[in-house]
Amino acid sequence: MVVVKLDKELCCSYQSCMSECPEVFGTDDIGVVRLLMTEIPENYREKVELAASVCPQGVITIERA
Ligand code: SF4
């Protein structure tokens, strides 16, 4: 399992992450990106890594739990 973190202060809400992994990255009521889960099961790990790689702000971090 991995743990994903998102620095909302630096997020620009382009939503590239949501395109790559909508199971983990969603939006709140006003369209700001938020994490739908932080402890990521193995079957979503590759998609989360791809989401992190396409984030233009580099604000998604992934750590092994
Ligand atoms: S790709 Fe990065 S900057 Fe864009 S919405 Fe997602 S976390 Fe925010």
Side-chain angles (χ1 to χ4, degrees):
M1 186 182 71
V2 295
V3 174
V4 64
K5 295 179 182 174
L6 167 63
D7 186 342
K8 293 181 97 171
E9 295 293 320
L10 298 175
C11 172
C12 54
S13 288
Y14 289 148
Q15 302 184 359
S16 308
C17 51
M18 287 178 58
S19 299
E20 299 299 340
C21 190
E23 298 87 350
V24 173
F25 300 93
T27 57
D28 62 18
D29 293 344
I30 58 171
V32 176
V33 170
R34 69 181 184 91
L35 293 171
L36 303 179
M37 64 177 93
T38 55
E39 296 182 351
I40 309 301
E42 191 60 28
N43 55 322
Y44 290 149
R45 184 181 54 81
E46 283 189 18
K47 290 180 77 173
V48 170
E49 288 175 347
L50 183 58
S53 74
V54 301
C55 174
Q57 296 291 96
V59 298
I60 300 169
T61 56
I62 301 167
E63 299 170 1
R64 287 233 165 257

